[in-house]
Amino acid sequence: MGGRMATVALTKENFEEVVSGDGLTVLDFWASWCGPCRSFAPTFEKVSEATPDVVFAKVDTEAETDLAQAFSIQSIPTVMLVRDGVVVFSQPGALPEAALVDLIKQAQGLDMDEVRRKIANG
C-alpha cells in the first residue's frame, strides 16, 4: 500500500465518513490560541506516525464550533477516542506520549460487544 494518511483535519462535512467506520479514531479538539494545544500537537503527530492502523484527527474548535458543541467540549485540548462509532474515552488535557500510546492499546483491546451492552443497559 502507499504511505499512510497524515492526521486528518476533521470538519462537520467529513466527520461521519472519518469517525463512523470500523476501527479506532483518536480525536484532538484544539485551537490555535491554546498554548497547551500547541505543546500537545507534536506528541499527537508522533504517536499518529507510529500507529498507522489508527486514524488521528484534529478538530479546530474555533472553525468547527458545531462539532465542539456536539461533544460538549468544555476545555481544550480534549482527547477523545471513538471505536467502531462509539466514544470510548474523552478527557480534557494534554496527555504524555506514553499515556496516549497506552490509551490507544486499551481501546484496541476493548470487547466492543460488551461496551455496546453496557451502553444499551445504561
Side-chain angles (χ1 to χ4, degrees), residues 34-103:
C34 164
C37 298
R38 287 196 307 271
S39 10
F40 177 59
T43 300
F44 192 79
E45 269 315 309
K46 184 175 179 191
V47 175
S48 80
E49 288 165 9
T51 321
D53 55 334
V54 173
V55 175
F56 285 76
K58 294 177 78 76
V59 180
D60 180 345
T61 56
E62 293 288 291
E64 297 299 328
T65 52
D66 291 351
L67 283 179
Q69 288 172 348
F71 286 101
S72 305
I73 301 302
Q74 303 289 318
S75 61
I76 51 175
T78 288
V79 175
M80 185 178 290
L81 277 68
V82 180
R83 178 152 168 226
D84 303 344
V86 178
V87 175
V88 295
F89 177 86
S90 180
Q91 177 182 307
L95 293 169
E97 182 180 340
L100 183 57
V101 168
D102 185 55
L103 197 57

Side-chain angles (χ1 to χ4, degrees), residues 114-122:
E114 180 65 24
V115 169
R116 286 190 185 89
R117 269 194 300 280
K118 285 180 179 166
I119 292 169
N121 296 332

